[in-house]
Amino acid sequence: MVSPVLFWIIAAITVIPALSLLFARKAVHVAMSVVLVMVGLATAYVTLGAPFLGMVQIVVYTGAVMMLFLFVLMLVGVDQREDLKETIKGQRWIGLFTAAGLGAFLVSVVGRVSIAVADTPAVGEPDVVAIMLFEKYVLVIEVLGFLLITAAVGALVLTHTPRLRPRRTQLEVQRDRVLVGADPVNKPMPGVYARHNALDVPALDPQGEPIVHSVSRVLKVRSQTQEGEEFRAALEDPSRKEGDR
Amino acid sequence: MDPINFVILASILFAIGAAAVLLRRNAIIAFMGVELMLNAANLALVAFSRIHGEIDGQIMAFFVLVVAAAEVVVGLAIIIAVFRARQTISLDEPAELKG
């Protein structure tokens, strides 16, 4: 028999996070709540004498399936807004009523049933499950193998995008850069070549002039740069030390 | 506590999943509702396995798990394909395809 305390804990950590499917705004929150539901269900499996299935549940659902959901969420953008206009009039109330009716119907029917519980629980240890899977249900396992391969190939086909334009090679990129008159080589690094070892100081060319474009554009926009004049003055007047500024 | 209570819990979870499929417009959330329904069925199978003292119910739940994994792969690939074509994952958008 199952301890009532354990049952109520499992009920709490499955039903309450599952409600976020209906009420949470952000899809990421929903995904994380469903992860919690899956952990709760794994606990229930272990409680009901299916330790192997419980572990598989954690590995497959919380580890693989829900993380796949999160990957897809990141791919399509976490900020996808849900449009709230109803295409079918009163769809929300019809849906809520139907689902609540289904729940009430199932609970009332199941609540009326009484089945004698077996005295000796069948514990689904891995070896027991394996013998069952590969003796009695070996054909089903083969069919499931076909199904998994088909699903993998199907996913590849569905997400495949054919290349519409030929690939641009490095040679073509370089040729285009020269044709538009861009710098054929890298820009000079800031500060490090002259007297300073800092990114916010422009490099000095051999004549001692600051090279303006050696400092990152971003620093200029944030006005976090230093002008080269002070350093040039220090160069021209050796008596003045740089630390005086 | 009687394991039949777990079947009642599974019914409640199934109803919540069904409500999510019926109410939510975000394709990914609706899809998670489908996953919740599959898991509720699994919980009922395992509970029945405990009630009858046979291991077959757990094997069935295992098969459902595998099929659900395959279904997730294909379903999410379809969602990505629709997103690439229409820049949205709202379930109402593809309804405009009808003539």
Side-chain angles (χ1 to χ4, degrees), chain B residues 2-21:
Chain B
D2 200 327
I4 199 79
N5 287 315
F6 279 98
V7 184
I8 295 177
L9 179 64
S11 316
I12 294 170
L13 288 176
F14 190 89
I16 293 175
V21 174

Side-chain angles (χ1 to χ4, degrees), chain B residues 32-56:
Chain B
M32 283 191 241
V34 176
E35 289 302 308
L36 190 65
M37 288 162 80
L38 281 167
N39 273 285
N42 265 357
L43 181 60
L45 283 172
V46 176
F48 282 127
S49 152
R50 171 69 188 81
I51 290 171
H52 290 292
E54 302 276 346
I55 210 163
D56 293 71

Side-chain angles (χ1 to χ4, degrees), chain A residues 43-114:
Chain A
T43 321
Y45 294 167
V46 176
T47 313
L48 288 168
F52 173 69
L53 205 61
M55 290 305 126
V56 169
Q57 170 85 7
I58 286 189
V59 170
V60 171
Y61 265 102
T62 66
V65 170
M66 294 320 293
M67 294 308 122
L68 197 64
F69 269 103
L70 282 181
F71 275 133
V72 172
L73 271 179
M74 286 184 244
L75 212 60
V76 302
V78 252
D79 296 328
Q80 281 280 332
R81 299 284 298 277
E82 198 168 4
D83 53 343
L84 293 172
K85 74 171 168 54
E86 292 187 317
T87 332
I88 307 167
K89 200 158 161 281
Q91 183 192 2
R92 189 168 307 148
W93 296 112
I94 297 172
L96 204 59
F97 185 74
T98 315
L102 176 70
F105 173 72
L106 283 175
V107 169
S108 66
V109 169
V110 174
R112 222 176 280 180
V113 176
S114 64

